[in-house]
């Protein structure tokens, strides 16, 4: 099993699910970054300009968990303070669709 591919696939599935959910709530996908040299860490940002609110999903490659954060939105998301909504550990050695679905659902549930 390829752990990196499992992480990549899981990140993409979560991103797609969050994008669908957040688009329905008036958010738009705004930014993403990938840091291969930082254990493959990456993040994705969605912004709701009307409600002045944003969400960020982080894959923390060092600690092997996903973090969903929220913040008030300003013109530049990098200049805001992020607060954790949920932290979900992910075992990249488990390549199982039911496991990924459970992980995705636990993150989506936190959006409300």
């Amino acid at each position: 099993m390829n752990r990196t591919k499992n992480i990549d696939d899981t990140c993409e599935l979560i991103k797609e699910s969050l994008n669908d959910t957040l688009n329905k709530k008036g958010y738009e996908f705004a930014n993403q970054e990938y840091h291969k040299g930082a254990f493959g860490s990456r993040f994705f940002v969605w912004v709701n300009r009307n409600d002045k609110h944003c969400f960020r999903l982080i894959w923390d490659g060092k600690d092997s968990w996903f973090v969903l954060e929220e913040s008030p939105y300003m013109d530049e998301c990098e200049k805001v303070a992020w607060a954790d909504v949920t932290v979900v550990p992910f075992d990249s050695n488990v390549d199982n669709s039911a496991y990924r679905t459970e992980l995705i659902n636990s993150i989506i549930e936190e959006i409300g």
Side-chain angles (χ1 to χ4, degrees), residues 65-94:
W65 57 36
F66 288 96
V67 182
L68 181 66
E69 300 177 321
E70 66 179 343
S71 176
Y73 170 74
M74 297 173 64
D75 291 332
E76 297 180 50
C77 283
E78 295 80 25
K79 295 186 178 182
V80 296
W82 294 95
D84 290 354
V85 174
T86 189
V87 177
V88 182
F90 176 66
D91 184 349
S92 58
N93 292 309
V94 178

Side-chain angles (χ1 to χ4, degrees), residues 25-74:
K25 295 179 176 282
Y27 290 81
E28 62 185 49
F29 186 75
N31 186 27
Q32 71 180 37
E33 287 187 20
Y34 174 67
H35 301 276
K36 185 176 182 177
F39 307 97
S41 295
R42 61 197 83 186
F43 70 83
F44 311 92
V45 177
W46 291 265
V47 174
N48 184 319
R49 287 177 171 73
N50 292 330
D51 292 343
K52 300 289 185 192
H53 188 263
C54 48
F55 281 104
R56 176 170 69 177
L57 177 73
I58 297 172
W59 163 248
D60 184 325
K62 182 178 180 192
D63 291 323
S64 297
W65 57 36
F66 288 96
V67 182
L68 181 66
E69 300 177 321
E70 66 179 343
S71 176
Y73 170 74
M74 297 173 64

Side-chain angles (χ1 to χ4, degrees), residues 93-111:
N93 292 309
V94 178
D95 188 6
N96 177 294
S97 63
Y99 178 66
R100 280 192 292 275
T101 298
E102 184 178 333
L103 176 104
I104 292 166
N105 289 340
S106 70
I107 293 171
I108 298 293
E109 284 175 6
E110 295 296 328
I111 292 174

